Amino acid sequence: MRKRRIAIADHVAEALLFNRRLLVAFVMVVLLFGVLLLNLYQLQVVKYEEYSTRADGNRIKLVPLSPNRGMIYDRNGVLLAENRPVHSLELVPEQVKDLAQTVQELAKLIVIDEEQQQAFFKEVKQQRRFKSIALKEHLTEQEVAILAVHLHQFSGVTLEARLTRNYPYGDLFTHALGYIGKINEKEYKQLEESQQSANYAATRDIGKVGLEKFYESQLHGTVGYQEVEVNSRGRVIRTLREQPAISGDDLYLSLDLGLQLKAQEALGENRGSVVMLDPRDGAVLAFYSNPSYNPNLFVHGISGKNYRMLLNSPDRPLVNRITQGLFPPASTIKPLLGVAGLENGTVTEQTRIPDPGFYRLPNVSRPWRDHLKWGHGYVDIYTGIIKSCDTYFYDLAYKMGIDKIADFMTKAGFGRPSGIDIHEENEGNMPTREWKKIKHKQNWGPGDTINIGIGQGYWQATPLQMALTTATLINTGARITPRLARNFHNQQQDQSLLLAPEQAITVVDPNNWAISREAMRRTAQQEGGTARGAFLGATYDPAGKTGTQQVINIAAGQKYNAKAINERHRDNAMFVGYAPHHNPEVVVAVVVENAGGGGSNAAPVARIMMDHYFTPAAEKPALPTLAEIALMQEQRAAQMLAREQRYAEEKAAEEARKLKRQQQTEPQAVPAGTTESTTAPAAAPVTTTEKPATIQDQPQPVVNGSTTEQQPGTNSALTQTQSEDNSIDD
Amino acid sequence: MTEQEHQSRLMHWHIDGPLLGALLLLIVIGLFTLYSADGHDLAKVEGQALKVAFAMGIMTMLAQINPQSYRRWSLPMYVSGLFFLLIVEFFGYTAKGSTRWIDLGFTKFQPSEMMKLAVPMAVAWYMAKHPMPPRTRDVLAGFLICAAPTLLIAKQPDLGTSILIAMSGVFVLFFSGMSWRIIGFVAALLAAFLPILWHFLMYDYQKRRVLTLFDPERDPLGAGYQTIQSMIAIGSGGIEGKGWMQGTQSQLEFLPERHTDFIFAVFAEEMGLMGVCGLFLLYLFIIGRGLVIASRAQDNYSRFLAGSITLTFFVYVFVNIGMVSGILPVVGVPLPLVSFGGTSFVTLLAGFGILMSVSTHKRMLAKQ
């Protein structure tokens, strides 16, 4: 009974207890929901901004858009560097079922060689699956046509078009324009350092040399961006926003296509250079170094074979002779040296000295010979320049002294960078006492000064410096800064790149400068002038000065016989000139290597250039069409190949001869064949050393496999640049 | 048809109207979320709807059975469940490193699902035999009933399910009036047990999940990835949400497991805090209704079982949302009646079937 009572009482109590527990449970549930809600409030309200940003960061990616590179035009608006679409065959591995088989089938349609296939599969392994990878680049129009027809049979295979640089005039403007090529690791680093890497996010190429490098920042333009939405695997779903890229500014040059063509034509197959500039503002009108090379090769990645040929050619086509070729300026400096003497008071207009055919220092037995064996008789400054009398200038230099000469000449523009708008430049050498002490650990001797008097000895100058210093003479001591580029052009404005001349030399008497100029006029126009022959009948009042630079020393008593000596030891022909005499518009400097005398070999080239310049526009010959240019380019390429062939044969023959001679004269300590080469003075335009460079006679180092090694014996800045920069398809 | 008639017709079919309405609403919300979460694949949603219909059928069926029958079947079900768990232990089918299934050839059977109902039923059966509040030894017996399947399931390993099953049993003990002293003691024991659990019983991946909880950024591409992406999805939804099918985290597939365990993040991203509040109210209504049913139940067995089923349902909701929103470690618990899946629907709706049975059979017992 008792038990039952308890059970009944428990029944109510149990319900009560259970309901209490239910209430506790419900309160707990509500509390825990509150905890969840509090947390969600924290996420969705308090930290909403943060998570919203992170969600956008997940889905929104910026795709950079490459800007179109600015075009380059000549002074008349002729297009010299353009952007042309190139097609490439690309595959997206994610969308291709069987990669190997697809590649095999594509290879049946167009030629895809082993090397390209290997490179492709290597890239496939490295890239993410949805990224497009090029199987073959630079497709020909025919290949594009074939692929376009068959493309529907493949999935994940596309034809992509991209803009790349093209230089329609081939080798004609190479040393001025330079070229662009794939950005290398070092350049990436530099871009990063200058905080430009973002701007190059979509850019593949960068200026490697020449104007393309110098004006890189303006030619390049500004990167654009496309905001795209991507999914978790990085595939682009749609474009949200686009900020277009801003094209690079167009560059207009001072160069003139017609003058360039004339320069190329006038030099023919000779090694040499022509530079023509405007002495009033430094605008460079013609800038051609021969032989040149086709820059388009480098844009597309030059083959190892072609690159080795250019690098190893004894003609040094990669070297910009105008700014990197170093020559003793020889007699071309006589007018300026004359001004220096007059201004310094070393000589006057009336000073006359006797010239017996040689010059001798007191107490020195060694004579300095005049180029005229029997002498010029009594010589004043006019005759000294017109007939290029060496003795007069030996005397002047000796009396004036190296310090004053070097000071004057450095101010005029020798031995210093010209400031031209390309980076490939040697500053040459205007020797001083200090320089010789440091460089050769020897004291400066009077003989050194005498050599300077005729622009020889340690004096080394580029053809550009020869033109530049002639402009300084014309401008009565005002030095110009040469400029290949004239102005940038974009939607907003034209920006001139020319710089005003700077009065570098303090003038004592302007008449002194006029004396030398008058002498130069007579050189080109008066009976007996060394350049008169070249300028017979010229109507534009020309003036100039010839120079003949000896490549080898001719021992006293010996006669220079061009035919008897090695071609590369013949004299370098030089000429600097300007016109019209009273109001000069152009200065020309010509160097024709191993051609002989300056009057008969370099001056005629200058004549051709000036004739063309002064021909009224209407009478100028029509410019060749691009098709004709292409044909000329082909011919020149063929000529180059033939020359290289000949050099190789000559080298082989020479080595065979040497070997034979060596065998015959076995007992002798020194083989006779080497004597000549060790005594030859600077003949190569590529050397900056004062030691006679003999690279032209030595066998070229064979570059095996990698062409990126620097050649021993050459100290050319260009050689270094090229070997570091170019991607070689090896 | 009047409201009364409506009610009585549902009564006739042993269906609890408010509960059914709330469940249907929740299921429809789930299907819409699933459509958005899983690539707008109508076929998949239809497939899911079919499974849901099947589960609803089972729920209706179970609702017809008298609670007294459940009581009678409690012990046999529990014993056979244990037997199946032992079969799993020795002959089970293994997938993804866990042995949870018995391969029947045409389908795979997961005994732990069955235990989700069998354990509370068995504990309720035992506790209902004794007057409330239970004696300590009865409580101990109840714990023992929970412990056997819990340990077997934890060994599979399936820590999440084993804890849920243990809790469903413990809830019965709680409702049976287990004294607060014992509750405090068990809580203290659990706290003491945690280090043992951590050092000796938990697998590395489980430990990683727990560690990740405290600092998801320590392994953003590995264990923390899911949590980070899910928190980004929820947080970026803001108050109003990005709109149905507009959630970038889910639509662009940054969110993993978005149609199963992490579907709440899809919902929160697209519907925002406002939608979340609505969803919470719906869940709270269902839970409240379950507790009301338990309160109105006529015998202790029905009370305990209904209360336990309801609270277990809440635990599912809490654990899932807690792990998706980053306050609980990632354990494989789906969001009840929303996450994609068939088995969980059957188990859950079976539970609601029992609830409805409790709700609709009381008057016929006429025990009052």
Side-chain angles (χ1 to χ4, degrees):
Chain A
M1 221 29 224
R2 177 185 163 81
K3 203 175 181 182
R4 174 130 183 109
R5 195 180 56 81
I6 291 170
I8 293 168
D10 277 355
H11 184 69
V12 179
E14 277 176 356
L16 210 67
L17 174 58
F18 180 73
N19 281 341
R20 270 210 311 274
R21 287 286 157 110
L22 275 185
L23 196 68
V24 170
F26 187 72
V27 169
M28 283 300 284
V29 165
V30 173
L31 276 178
L32 287 172
F33 263 120
V35 169
L36 286 180
L37 208 59
L38 209 67
N39 179 46
L40 289 166
Y41 176 83
Q42 180 75 10
L43 290 179
Q44 296 191 295
V45 179
V46 178
K47 289 188 175 173
Y48 168 71
E49 287 296 329
E50 180 194 328
Y51 286 114
S52 192
T53 309
R54 289 181 68 176
D56 284 347
N58 267 345
R59 71 183 176 106
I60 297 169
K61 295 277 174 288
L62 289 181
V63 176
L65 303 171
S66 71
N68 288 345
R69 197 175 175 84
M71 312 273 199
I72 304 179
Y73 299 92
D74 91 336
R75 67 185 300 120
N76 301 313
V78 179
L79 191 56
L80 304 180
E82 61 185 349
N83 301 319
R84 227 163 49 170
V86 289
H87 292 89
S88 56
L89 178 60
E90 298 189 359
L91 278 76
V92 182
E94 191 194 29
Q95 297 165 13
V96 180
K97 261 191 195 153
D98 187 340
L99 263 187
Q101 196 199 335
T102 305
V103 169
Q104 283 311 310
E105 276 168 27
L106 288 168
K108 283 178 201 160
L109 298 173
I110 59 165
V111 179
I112 302 167
D113 63 33
E114 198 64 24
E115 199 178 324
Q116 286 162 334
Q117 294 191 17
Q118 278 171 5
F120 172 75
F121 283 113
K122 193 175 154 200
E123 189 90 2
V124 167
K125 274 183 206 153
Q126 290 165 351
Q127 295 289 353
R128 296 183 73 180
R129 303 267 307 156
F130 52 81
K131 217 181 153 191
S132 188
I133 298 169
L135 175 59
K136 186 172 185 180
E137 291 179 299
H138 302 290
L139 299 170
T140 65
E141 280 177 31
Q142 202 187 357
E143 287 171 333
V144 170
I146 293 172
L147 288 169
V149 171
H150 291 91
L151 216 54
H152 69 274
Q153 301 166 1
F154 302 94
S155 67
V157 181
T158 52
L159 274 173
E160 295 293 329
R162 173 169 65 72
L163 289 179
T164 188
R165 206 62 153 172
N166 182 54
Y167 304 98
Y169 290 94
D171 72 351
L172 190 59
F173 288 92
T174 310
H175 289 300
L177 294 177
Y179 52 82
I180 63 169
K182 265 190 193 166
I183 303 174
N184 65 27
E185 226 166 282
K186 196 175 134 200
E187 284 154 348
Y188 268 122
K189 234 174 253 164
Q190 284 168 352
L191 288 173
E192 255 164 42
E193 275 163 24
S194 56
Q195 293 176 334
Q196 279 286 303
S197 48
N199 198 24
Y200 279 76
T203 308
R204 184 178 165 274
D205 295 323
I206 193 168
K208 295 286 183 178
V209 279
L211 292 164
E212 293 272 31
K213 183 184 172 92
F214 194 89
Y215 292 112
E216 172 63 30
S217 58
Q218 264 175 290
L219 285 168
H220 175 264
T222 308
V223 70
Y225 279 99
Q226 207 174 31
E227 226 179 69
V228 295
E229 192 173 75
V230 297
N231 68 8
S232 60
R233 291 181 299 280
R235 187 205 288 280
V236 173
I237 305 297
R238 63 191 165 123
T239 302
L240 301 173
R241 214 152 55 84
E242 186 174 323
Q243 184 189 334
I246 302 166
S247 297
D249 295 347
D250 290 340
L251 185 60
Y252 283 78
L253 304 187
S254 302
L255 294 178
D256 178 87
L257 173 61
L259 284 167
Q260 286 292 108
L261 284 164
K262 279 287 163 197
Q264 189 174 60
E265 186 190 321
L267 285 174
E269 286 205 64
N270 286 316
R271 288 176 298 279
S273 61
V274 175
V275 54
M276 181 187 254
L277 42 82
D278 188 329
R280 293 165 297 189
D281 55 12
V284 180
L285 303 169
F287 192 83
Y288 183 71
S289 168
N290 204 46
S292 182
Y293 60 97
N294 188 341
N296 293 312
L297 291 175
F298 285 89
V299 178
H300 301 169
I302 189 168
S303 75
K305 185 177 156 241
N306 278 339
Y307 184 62
R308 275 192 292 275
M309 189 179 90
L310 289 175
L311 191 68
N312 296 336
S313 168
D315 285 347
R316 295 279 178 274
L318 296 178
V319 171
N320 183 350
R321 291 173 145 78
I322 304 162
T323 53
Q324 294 178 304
L326 292 179
F327 307 86
S331 306
T332 59
I333 54 89
K334 282 174 182 168
L336 205 56
L337 188 57
V339 174
L342 290 165
E343 291 274 271
N344 187 50
T346 314
V347 292
T348 65
E349 196 176 351
Q350 285 75 36
T351 306
R352 285 152 58 100
I353 64 145
D355 171 24
F358 57 86
Y359 180 73
R360 212 187 277 275
L361 280 180
N363 309 323
V364 177
S365 62
R366 187 211 146 167
W368 277 267
R369 302 183 316 155
D370 194 283
H371 67 89
L372 203 62
K373 200 179 169 186
W374 46 86
H376 292 92
Y378 274 91
V379 185
D380 64 0
I381 187 156
Y382 291 105
T383 321
I385 291 168
I386 297 163
K387 303 207 169 183
S388 198
C389 172
D390 292 339
T391 308
Y392 182 88
F393 286 98
Y394 289 142
D395 187 58
L396 188 155
Y398 176 70
K399 284 176 179 157
M400 188 171 170
I402 182 61
D403 301 335
K404 285 174 180 166
I405 294 173
D407 178 57
F408 186 91
M409 287 299 171
T410 307
K411 282 176 184 160
F414 283 110
R416 67 192 305 155
S418 69
I420 190 167
D421 42 0
I422 53 175
H423 292 298
E424 301 75 40
E425 187 180 19
N426 279 339
E427 60 184 57
N429 182 34
M430 186 65 233
T432 59
R433 286 179 204 277
E434 296 75 41
W435 169 84
K436 192 179 178 189
K437 196 111 195 192
I438 292 160
K439 185 83 190 171
H440 293 281
K441 304 200 169 36
Q442 279 174 347
N443 285 328
W444 186 269
D448 292 328
T449 311
I450 288 165
N451 282 337
I452 293 301
I454 60 161
Q456 301 261 11
Y458 298 119
W459 197 341
Q460 294 218 300
T462 64
L464 180 65
Q465 285 172 339
M466 296 177 208
L468 172 64
T469 49
T470 304
T472 309
L473 171 59
I474 292 164
N475 293 335
T476 317
R479 192 176 66 226
I480 53 163
T481 306
R483 279 275 177 260
L484 293 161
R486 189 174 202 83
N487 64 278
F488 266 114
H489 175 80
N490 59 26
Q491 281 104 334
Q492 281 87 45
Q493 61 192 43
D494 279 4
Q495 171 202 350
S496 176
L497 299 165
L498 298 174
L499 300 173
E502 174 203 351
Q503 191 64 41
I505 301 170
T506 317
V507 177
V508 179
D509 180 0
N511 192 46
N512 289 334
W513 301 72
I515 291 168
S516 268
R517 288 199 290 268
E518 172 61 16
M520 284 178 84
R521 187 190 69 80
R522 293 189 201 167
T523 308
Q525 296 184 28
Q526 203 178 60
E527 192 74 44
T530 52
R532 184 174 181 254
F535 284 93
L536 267 180
T539 54
Y540 39 77
D541 199 10
K545 179 70 194 83
T546 60
T548 305
Q549 183 237 329
Q550 291 179 2
V551 174
I552 55 164
N553 288 324
I554 308 296
Q558 262 185 347
K559 203 172 173 270
Y560 173 81
N561 183 347
K563 281 179 192 140
I565 59 174
N566 186 316
E567 186 201 324
R568 286 180 191 275
H569 293 163
R570 286 181 206 154
D571 291 348
N572 289 333
M574 295 173 177
F575 178 81
V576 294
Y578 64 90
H581 174 64
H582 285 293
N583 190 15
E585 290 175 30
V586 286
V587 174
V588 181
V590 175
V591 174
V592 187
E593 289 162 32
N594 313 119
S600 47
N601 296 291
V605 173
R607 168 82 196 260
I608 291 170
M609 298 300 289
M610 287 188 182
D611 278 359
H612 183 85
Y613 179 85
F614 288 105
T615 305
E619 292 167 36
K620 278 182 187 166
L623 291 169
T625 63
L626 282 176
E628 286 166 337
I629 290 285
L631 200 68
M632 283 161 61
Q633 290 289 317
E634 264 174 48
Q635 286 168 354
R636 295 178 58 76
Q639 280 175 359
M640 180 172 178
L641 269 178
R643 276 203 308 273
E644 292 300 320
Q645 184 78 25
R646 206 182 73 221
Y647 295 149
E649 282 165 15
E650 282 173 2
K651 203 169 88 180
E654 175 68 25
E655 261 160 33
R657 250 200 323 278
K658 252 187 211 168
L659 202 70
K660 209 170 163 189
R661 237 179 303 171
Q662 224 165 8
Q663 284 165 345
Q664 284 170 352
T665 58
E666 198 77 326
Q668 286 187 359
V670 182
T674 56
T675 327
E676 186 189 323
S677 48
T678 46
T679 52
V686 290
T687 175
T688 55
T689 61
E690 288 67 42
K691 284 266 175 61
T694 54
I695 32 171
Q696 291 172 349
D697 293 304
Q698 286 168 350
Q700 292 298 329
V702 181
V703 182
N704 305 321
S706 163
T707 50
T708 52
E709 293 170 31
Q710 204 197 325
Q711 283 187 309
T714 58
N715 193 15
S716 152
L718 184 65
T719 317
Q720 287 176 15
T721 320
Q722 304 251 341
S723 35
E724 281 168 18
D725 289 355
N726 293 308
S727 51
I728 309 301
D729 298 338
D730 224 348
Chain B
M1 201 189 288
T2 67
E3 186 65 23
Q4 209 62 46
E5 283 172 296
H6 197 97
Q7 278 286 334
S8 64
R9 175 162 301 187
L10 284 171
M11 238 10 175
H12 175 72
W13 288 105
H14 298 290
I15 299 295
D16 186 79
L19 191 54
L20 180 72
L23 290 178
L24 281 176
L25 185 57
L26 185 60
I27 285 164
V28 169
I29 288 173
L31 290 177
F32 271 93
T33 311
L34 180 67
Y35 180 76
S36 170
D38 206 26
H40 314 163
D41 186 352
L42 203 59
K44 199 154 191 176
V45 174
E46 279 168 4
Q48 177 68 11
L50 222 68
K51 284 178 193 164
V52 171
F54 174 73
M56 293 291 262
I58 292 196
M59 177 183 83
T60 315
M61 249 166 59
L62 292 181
Q64 313 308 313
I65 300 168
N66 193 301
Q68 296 313 311
S69 308
Y70 287 114
R71 192 164 81 145
R72 278 194 295 277
W73 282 99
S74 292
L75 193 60
M77 255 181 81
Y78 175 76
V79 173
S80 54
L82 268 187
F83 175 70
F84 289 138
L85 281 177
L86 284 171
I87 292 183
V88 169
E89 171 71 18
F90 296 110
F91 310 104
Y93 173 86
T94 307
K96 292 182 193 168
S98 321
T99 312
R100 299 178 184 176
W101 298 269
I102 299 172
D103 196 347
L104 299 176
F106 63 96
T107 184
K108 286 177 196 73
F109 170 61
Q110 194 176 343
S112 56
E113 285 296 323
M114 175 185 160
M115 283 314 241
K116 281 178 183 167
L117 287 174
V119 168
M121 279 164 77
V123 181
W125 164 80
Y126 183 81
M127 300 316 283
K129 286 205 301 179
H130 307 279
M132 290 169 71
R135 291 166 297 182
T136 309
R137 65 165 213 238
D138 293 336
V139 172
L140 264 176
F143 272 116
L144 276 177
I145 296 171
C146 300
T150 301
L151 290 177
L152 280 171
I153 293 167
K155 215 167 161 274
Q156 287 179 348
D158 191 350
L159 197 64
T161 307
S162 72
I163 290 175
L164 281 168
I165 283 174
M167 287 182 87
S168 66
V170 172
F171 286 148
V172 173
L173 295 178
F174 170 75
F175 284 124
S176 72
M178 171 170 66
S179 78
W180 287 104
R181 272 216 320 276
I182 299 180
I183 295 174
F185 177 72
V186 170
L189 207 67
L190 272 178
F193 179 63
L194 274 179
I196 301 168
L197 184 78
W198 179 263
H199 286 294
F200 300 106
L201 295 174
M202 275 171 83
Y203 290 82
D204 272 346
Y205 81 95
Q206 290 166 336
K207 286 187 193 172
R208 258 204 309 281
R209 281 175 178 180
V210 175
L211 283 176
T212 309
L213 172 72
F214 297 114
D215 183 16
E217 311 284 344
R218 61 180 248 147
D219 189 10
L221 295 177
Y225 181 79
Q226 289 181 326
T227 307
I228 290 173
Q229 292 303 331
S230 150
M231 284 168 79
I232 291 173
I234 295 169
S236 66
I239 295 172
E240 290 171 14
K242 296 176 185 171
W244 186 52
M245 301 207 295
Q246 303 296 316
T248 57
Q249 284 288 103
S250 45
Q251 304 302 320
L252 299 172
E253 303 169 19
F254 289 103
L255 194 61
E257 304 287 342
R258 56 197 169 279
H259 62 289
T260 53
D261 289 358
F262 282 80
I263 199 162
F264 176 75
V266 177
F267 181 84
E269 184 186 21
E270 298 187 344
M271 301 303 162
L273 191 61
M274 282 158 71
V276 166
C277 286
L279 189 71
F280 277 17
L281 282 177
L282 193 53
Y283 275 123
L284 204 60
F285 178 83
I286 292 170
I287 291 158
R289 182 69 193 166
L291 295 180
V292 166
I293 289 171
S295 158
R296 289 181 187 168
Q298 257 123 62
D299 60 301
N300 283 347
Y301 175 79
S302 305
R303 282 175 181 149
F304 299 161
L305 190 54
S308 170
I309 287 171
T310 308
L311 269 200
T312 309
F313 177 78
F314 166 72
V315 169
Y316 271 81
V317 176
F318 182 77
V319 169
N320 177 271
I321 294 178
M323 85 183 192
V324 170
S325 57
I327 54 171
L328 288 179
V330 176
V331 287
V333 174
L335 184 63
L337 303 183
V338 176
S339 285
F340 179 82
T343 319
S344 73
F345 267 86
V346 171
T347 316
L348 284 163
L349 287 179
F352 282 107
I354 294 171
L355 266 186
M356 286 184 180
S357 155
V358 170
S359 157
T360 55
H361 283 87
K362 55 192 174 189
R363 290 185 226 295
M364 290 165 199
L365 275 171
K367 208 179 172 185
Q368 290 171 318

